Every structure is written in C-alpha cells, then in structure tokens.
Amino acid sequence: MNKQQLAAKIWESANKMRSKIEANEYKDYILGFIFYKFLSEKEVKYLRDNDWTDEYLPELSEEDVETVESIQKNLGYFISYNNLFSTWLEKGKDFSVQDVRDALSAFSRLINPTHRKVFDGVFETLQTGLSKLGDSAASQSKSISDLIQLIKDIPMDEKQGYDVLGFIYEYLIEKFAANAGKKAGEFYTPHEVSLLMSEIVANHLKDREKIEIYDPTSGSGSLLINIGKSASKYIEGENKIKYYAQELNLNTYNLTRMNLIMRGIEADNIVTRNGDTLEEDWPYFEENDPIGTYNPLYVDAVVSNPPYSQPWNPSDKENDPRYKEYGIAPKSKADYAFLLHELYHIKPDGIMTIVLPHGVLFRGGEEGEIRKNLIEKNKIETIIGLPANIFYGTGIPTIIMVLKQKRTDTDVLIVDASKGFVKEGKNNKLRASDIKRIVDIVTHRENRDKYSRVVSRDEIRANDYNLNIPRYVDSSEDSESWDIYASMFGGVPISEIDKLREYWQSFPTLRTSLFDNTSERYCKLSADNIKNVINEHEDIKGFKSGFRNAFENFDKYLNDELVAKCESVNISKTEDIISENIFARTEHIPLVDKYEAYQLFYDDWTEIAVDLEIIQTEGFEATKVVDPNMVIKKKDGKEQEIQEGWKGRILPFELIQNTILAEDTKKLKEKENRLAEIVSEYEEIFDTLTEEEKEGDFVNENGWVAAEVKKAVKNDNIEPETKEKIQAVSELNAEERLLKSEIKKESALLQEKTKKTIEELSDEQVTELLKMKWIKPLSDNLMQLPDVIVNELVKKLDELSKKYEITFAEIETQIEETEKILCSMIDDLEGDEFDMLGLAELKKILGGSVI
C-alpha cells in the first residue's frame, strides 16, 4: 500500500473501533500509540546502528546503566526491551493494558534531564485515558491490542524517511478535525491554509542559512512543520531550523511535541511550552539566564492560527512591551493581542503571518486604534481574504495578515482570494493553483483587476483606517444589463461585444468575420453557425498552433525530468521546476491562465509523486510488483477484508491490458458488449408481446422467466407466432449462459496474465509504460486548454446572440396570438350560468370580445 491507502485504511478501521468515544478524544489515543511506536523503533534503529543484533535486544534493561545513559544522551529517553512496541506485539494474547501502564510510567521516569522539556508528560493524555477504552481490564486490553495491530504496518525505517509517518499522522489529524465540529479549531489549521502561509514565509526567508520559527498557539504543530518544510527547500543541509511552540491546551500541546519529534527534528531544535501566550510572554532566554531576568527572544518568523475573538484579561497590560506602543485589545476579543504578541517577537528583518476573523479589518474602538497605529508605524504588508467555510467547525470569513517590523514601502497589498476554491463536502478548499496564484501576487505585490490592489497609506487614512476588503478590491461579478433599443428592435449592442475585448485583442480579425455593423451602436451576426466560423478562422488556428508549438518538446522534457531520473529526482523541488517550466511556456500565449495550466499539472502530479516515492524507497523493481487487491466485504454479518484479484503497485492493470494485452482485452470486451446487447434484445422481444401473450407463465412483471421459457419451447400447444418469440428468447438464454461462463473464465485468465506480464516486464517496457501513465494524461489535458478557451468564447457569443434574438414586439405578437387561441377555446366551453360568467371575465382579461 502507498501512504495514502495505508492512512485511509487506518482511519476507516479506527473510526469503526472507537465505538462511543468522541472522535476528538479518540484522536489522542491512536496518535499517542503511533508516537510510542515511533520512539520504540527509533531506539531499536539506534542500537542496530551501534552493533546491537536482534538476539541481544532482550538484554536491554534498566540494569545496563551504560547503555541506558548512552541511549538517553543520544535520543533523550530510554525504553527497555519489555516495554518496546515490538515486544507488545510479540506477546499476542498475553498482552494487557498493564503492559502499557508500566511502559508509560517507566518512560516518564527514564527521560534524560536535558530533554525533559521535550518529552516530559507527553503521554499524560494517553496514560490517564486508558480506562476510557473499556469497562474492564480485559476490554481495555482488547481495545489497545486492536489499536496496536492497526498501526503496526506504518513504516518508520530510515529508508522510508519520516514522510510516510508524517503523512499518516497529518491525515488522521485532519480526519479527526473534520469529525470534531467546533472543537476542530482547537488543534488544526487546514493543510492548504498552512501551505499558503508557509510559502509566503519561506519566500521571505529563502536566503538565510539558519532560521528560527515560532507558533504561539501551536495546536497540532502542523503549521510550524509546514513552514519548516517549505523553508527547507531553500536551505542547504539539515537541522538548520529551530522550532518554538507554545500551546495552552495540554492535550493539544502534547500533539505539537509528538508531531515535531516524529518529523525527524532533533530534540535540541525543539523548544516547547505549555502555557498561556497572552498572560505570560514567551519565548525568552530563560534557560541561559541564571538570574531569571526577562530577556525576550526574537525569531525570523512567527506564524499562528489563534482562537478567534477569544475573551482575555487585559488588566495591567498597559506597560507590557508587546502592547504599549499600539494599544490594548478589548476584553471580549483577543485577536489583536495575539497579533501584537507575534509582531513583538519577530526580528527587524523577520516576517509574521496570522489567521484572523474578518472583523479585525473594520471593528472600531480599541481595535480601530490598534489598527491605526499598525498602519502609521508601517507594520501591515498584506491582507488576504480567504474563502468562507475553509476551516473545520466555523463558517465565519477569515483573513491572513502578513506583517513585518521593517518595511521600505508604506502601502498595503489587499488580496480578495475569497472566490478561488473547490467545494469538498461541507467545506471549501483552496486548490494548488489558488495557493500559487496568491503566493505569486503577494511576492510580486501585483495589482490584478477584481483580485488584488496595492493601496496607499493616504487612501487608508481617507477611509479612517478601515481595511474592509470590498472598500479596496471589488471582486463582484458585473451585473447583467439589457439594452432597451436592442430589446425592442433587435440587433446586438456593440458595447456588449466590446466587453469581450481580451478575445478581440488576441484574435484581431475574428470580430469582423462574425459581425456586420447595422449602425454606429448596433450590429448583427453575419454567421449562422458561430462555432464553425470561429474554429475555421485563421486567428483561432494560429492560436492553437502557437500553443502546440509552445509545448512542442514538453513530453520529452517530462521524460527527462521524471522517467529518466525516477530513482534520484528530488520530488519536492521537481514540482516547482516543472511548474516554472509550464509558466514559461504559457507566458506569451494570450488568454491562457497559467494557473489553470498549473492545476492540470498538479492534479496529475499528486499520483506521480506517490509513484516516485515508492520507486525511491523500494527501488525500480517496485514497478514490477503486483499486490493482492484487498477489499472490505460483509460475510456472516461482519465486515472482513478479503482478496479480490490483484493490482499493480505502480503500474495499473488497465494500462497493461490496454497496451501489451490489447488483443486479449479486445476479445473479452467484445463478449461483454455482446452480453449487454442480449439484455436489449430480451427487452425488444418482450415489447412485441400481445396482452394475451403476457398472460403466459414464461413472463412476469420483471420480464422473461428462464425456467418457464425452457418448458414453453417444448410445448406444442403454443401459437406458432408466440413460439417463435419464445424460441428466440431461449436461444438468447443459451448464448447468455455460455457468454457469462466464458467471460468469467477469460477475466480470471486475463487477471493472471496481466499479473505475470507486470512481473516479467523489462526495464525498457516499464519506462515506456511510465511515460504512458505519467506523461500522456498530463500532456493530453494541457493540449485541451485552447479548445476550452475557444469553446468559452463560442458560449459567450451564443448567449449574446440569443439575448436579443426575439424583440419585445415579437413577444407581444406571440402573446396576442396565444390570447386569440385561448379565447377561441373558451368559446367552445360549456357550463352553468356561473361558469359562463367566469369564462366571460377571463376572456375579457385576455382581450377577446365577449358576445
């Protein structure tokens, strides 16, 4: 299984196992056990790297002081053999909840003092919650045993790196968040929002050799980790990023620590604290200051998604260095308190990004004064309006604010990105192209119609420091207007055709081929078939030809970047390299949205990246591996996982069957098509039956009864015409049975033949098949972009021509004719005295004369 499939399987099983335990609570148990597994296997790996073999592992105990101290010094903790995750698995039915209690208690006792802040209490939530997993020790043991069996397959070895573990951990956190309702906001920032913030920050920090980043409301730690991941693309070497995290909620604080440690971040680069960010300022150099004086720490970047509009205690905060230059946030809303805390802790050349509710842009009172001071002191660089319903548990509109301590510009970039998203369940989600578009706009500080604008400080002052996005960026769609003259007399207003100016600029002679002017303000279509005229026009042919030329050697380029280097290519960097190549190719092509082109690439890239990961972790031979296709099916009232055929680990069976085994597949398909035809032929013969024939036993309301058809064929008393129909059905029946038998047999043979074919592929064949899987779909999708653009123009012109096709005068004539027809029909109606009076009044309303 790839990491997505494994994560999905674990979530599905975990969701069934949790019974009546709330998803938000169960999260702490399963993630806690994943973390314990990680620490156990990390220790075993350390021992193997230091000449320990598996046969000596049972000797690992607290009594071996030298080994204990060595492990503590290098890892920060010690786990004895009896308490290893692998030992729990080996115990089988002898495993009990007491094994877990003993192990967690020993872990706490054996933490290296210098790493106590990283590990101390990290399993407290798990330890205190074990009793909730069952009513008795036996039921608790059963629940825990099921849990550890569930997560045992998560790979954590060095070859896999920390990516699979991190992906599964993040996947489970997001799934729990989606099921946790309002509580989700306590611990999770959606990955796409996190990625957007990360890319903005990473772009600012990309020239630095070492960086320090801080999240004062860290939640699960995902936001910090994504910042580190994005920034690391620009930093040579490892362990060049130091992470600071503070979180008030103890359970969530433990999530932060687990998440950071499991990403392979060295303990020395993790500084965390369980505390109230607003009540007690942090971080400061407490460890290095024996006197304990306040000495604040300043970092390269601060990121956060704090709780929205949370009440706080502003008492005695007037002289707090974080707030005194700007003002104190109101007691009922701590949004600006969090913002000012973060701003205080960034270096002069640092950056901060924070997610806040939309209201911080325009609310008055104390918040209005803080906003004014931030603008006058030139701290706000960018405001990004996000789509609604993007966060789990809340539908309120949110923004990202980007601030810096030192800025050369005095303006503010305002971006309305609220319209760019895709619907996913109840929530909206930023697409990869939406994120890239925003990051590019922010990086280059671009003005884009109906999307972004660089606003001067003077204009903001004139608006009384109100930063509400619609004041500066109008992203609303233009309302449709109707031309009175054209509505009355027909024709197409030239002013409405002018609105399509971007098309006329790109296709300079097309307009005159489509329209003839009837006056200085109106024109008419000169073509009956708009689509044909457009597609046959030289401007359009030149446009499509130019696009093809721009992507002329794209397939070869992708082959050189992906297929040829599949075992060594840097996956994360290659995504950026290819996207930049697509941008360069589309740069001078009019009408093509480079971000839509990028989205097409990204949609395919997600699968390509998974394949590359497998090849790089398991070797090129993984392309020739076939795995059992496991599915969940109900058996005896219980859901069971059973094998249903096979599937290629990388190469899909369908691809092999449509290429190498095309002839076999074609023959099988022909039989399947014939089977479908037989069903239609049954229906056709059934429809020819008379009502009398339908009384026979050989049919019922559902169609033909096979057993009775068989008897009827032998019945000489049935009318010849009816007998002929029954005979035809009988022959179809025999053919159907034979086909079903052949299809079943040949499908099984094709499955086995496909399996054998994959396993015996040559490297050259694999290379060609990878091209077909990775490159052809992407190339085909990109080549459709010009047609999409042209079809959109055809649609717009078609709508415009139909808009004024029928004039009001023609509509009036149609109404009058319809009224006359209705009046004549009324004249033919009969009724009593009152009916006729009612009909006479109706006729009068319709305009007919009453006799």
Side-chain angles (χ1 to χ4, degrees), residues 238-244 265-271:
E238 296 181 356
N239 300 308
K240 299 291 182 71
I241 303 173
K242 191 157 189 172
Y243 298 80
Y244 293 86
I265 300 166
E266 289 184 353
D268 290 340
N269 281 335
I270 299 172
V271 183

Side-chain angles (χ1 to χ4, degrees), residues 37 58 75 106 206 251 270 395 463 608 611 745 774 780 818:
K37 176 181 189 289
L75 302 182
K206 63 183 177 184
N251 294 356
I270 299 172
N463 277 305
I608 294 169
D611 290 347
K745 182 181 176 183
W774 294 349
D780 289 349
T818 305

Side-chain angles (χ1 to χ4, degrees), residues 448-556:
R448 192 71 62 86
D449 186 42
K450 291 188 174 294
Y451 193 78
S452 64
R453 188 157 78 88
V454 177
V455 182
S456 70
R457 184 157 59 186
D458 286 341
E459 185 177 349
I460 295 170
R461 284 170 178 157
N463 277 305
D464 199 23
Y465 302 96
N466 186 319
L467 292 172
N468 197 14
I469 293 171
R471 280 183 178 245
Y472 306 98
V473 180
D474 179 11
S475 63
S476 61
E477 295 291 328
D478 292 334
S479 57
E480 187 175 13
S481 61
W482 289 76
D483 184 283
I484 296 174
Y485 180 90
S487 298
M488 300 305 296
F489 300 104
V492 181
I494 291 173
S495 60
E496 294 193 31
I497 297 170
D498 288 342
K499 290 179 181 178
L500 302 174
R501 63 180 61 85
E502 61 177 342
Y503 291 103
W504 311 135
Q505 288 167 358
S506 304
F507 313 133
T509 64
L510 176 62
R511 181 170 176 169
T512 54
S513 299
L514 292 170
F515 297 98
D516 290 330
N517 287 357
T518 55
S519 70
E520 62 181 17
R521 291 178 59 183
Y522 298 91
C523 63
K524 66 176 183 178
L525 270 170
S526 58
D528 293 329
N529 192 319
I530 299 173
K531 187 171 185 177
N532 282 356
V533 172
I534 289 176
N535 281 310
E536 292 301 318
H537 198 277
E538 289 304 314
D539 286 354
I540 301 299
K541 289 180 179 178
F543 169 64
K544 292 182 178 181
S545 174
F547 188 90
R548 285 194 299 271
N549 290 340
F551 283 88
E552 187 176 11
N553 61 348
F554 189 59
D555 288 12
K556 182 181 183 306

Side-chain angles (χ1 to χ4, degrees), residues 546-604:
F547 188 90
R548 285 194 299 271
N549 290 340
F551 283 88
E552 187 176 11
N553 61 348
F554 189 59
D555 288 12
K556 182 181 183 306
Y557 166 76
L558 289 178
N559 178 64
D560 293 344
E561 288 295 322
L562 298 175
V563 181
K565 301 176 185 174
C566 64
E567 293 181 83
S568 59
V569 67
N570 184 311
I571 298 173
S572 62
K573 287 184 178 177
T574 299
E575 180 190 342
D576 291 337
I577 291 167
I578 295 175
S579 64
E580 287 305 316
N581 183 275
I582 291 172
F583 277 14
R585 289 171 187 268
T586 55
E587 186 177 0
H588 300 297
I589 304 175
L591 300 173
V592 173
D593 183 341
K594 63 182 181 181
Y595 296 102
E596 289 302 320
Y598 167 74
Q599 186 66 49
L600 291 174
F601 158 66
Y602 185 83
D603 291 342
D604 286 322

Side-chain angles (χ1 to χ4, degrees), residues 24-86:
N24 192 36
E25 204 172 341
Y26 192 71
K27 165 189 95 274
D28 297 322
Y29 307 140
I30 189 165
L31 297 179
F33 278 114
I34 289 175
F35 184 56
Y36 192 84
K37 176 181 189 289
F38 167 78
L39 295 179
S40 291
E41 295 188 12
K42 188 176 181 182
E43 180 175 299
V44 171
K45 181 188 177 303
Y46 169 78
L47 291 168
R48 286 174 179 156
D49 289 346
N50 286 274
D51 302 326
W52 278 63
T53 57
D54 289 352
E55 63 184 295
Y56 292 114
L57 280 179
E59 298 176 16
L60 187 65
S61 68
E62 288 184 51
E63 282 68 44
D64 185 350
V65 177
E66 186 180 342
T67 301
V68 171
E69 289 178 352
S70 169
I71 293 171
Q72 285 178 329
K73 180 182 176 183
N74 286 279
L75 302 182
Y77 60 90
F78 172 80
I79 300 173
S80 68
Y81 173 78
N82 289 335
N83 293 330
L84 289 172
F85 187 90
S86 56

Side-chain angles (χ1 to χ4, degrees), residues 353-380:
T353 58
I354 182 171
V355 182
L356 293 168
H358 194 246
V360 301
L361 300 178
F362 51 80
R363 292 193 299 240
E366 298 101 319
E367 290 186 312
E369 190 61 28
I370 294 170
R371 194 165 57 247
K372 175 183 176 181
N373 288 327
L374 286 167
I375 292 164
E376 289 298 338
K377 292 176 186 294
N378 201 29
K379 303 299 180 185
I380 301 175

Side-chain angles (χ1 to χ4, degrees), residues 790-800:
V790 172
N791 289 338
E792 184 63 22
L793 173 60
V794 171
K795 181 186 171 189
K796 287 177 186 291
L797 291 175
D798 192 50
E799 289 171 352
L800 190 55

Side-chain angles (χ1 to χ4, degrees), residues 197-259:
M197 297 169 77
S198 302
E199 290 297 317
I200 291 170
V201 169
N203 198 277
H204 178 75
L205 303 176
K206 63 183 177 184
D207 297 323
R208 308 187 189 193
E209 291 183 8
K210 288 185 177 182
I211 61 170
E212 294 178 311
I213 54 179
Y214 167 45
D215 186 344
T217 57
S218 60
S220 67
S222 302
L223 185 50
L224 262 183
I225 286 162
N226 276 312
I227 299 283
K229 192 173 179 181
S230 292
S232 64
K233 289 189 291 186
Y234 306 107
I235 299 174
E236 294 296 328
E238 296 181 356
N239 300 308
K240 299 291 182 71
I241 303 173
K242 191 157 189 172
Y243 298 80
Y244 293 86
Q246 175 155 274
E247 171 57 45
L248 178 61
N249 181 295
L250 179 61
N251 294 356
T252 313
Y253 167 66
N254 288 336
L255 277 186
T256 291
R257 292 191 289 170
M258 291 179 193
N259 212 352

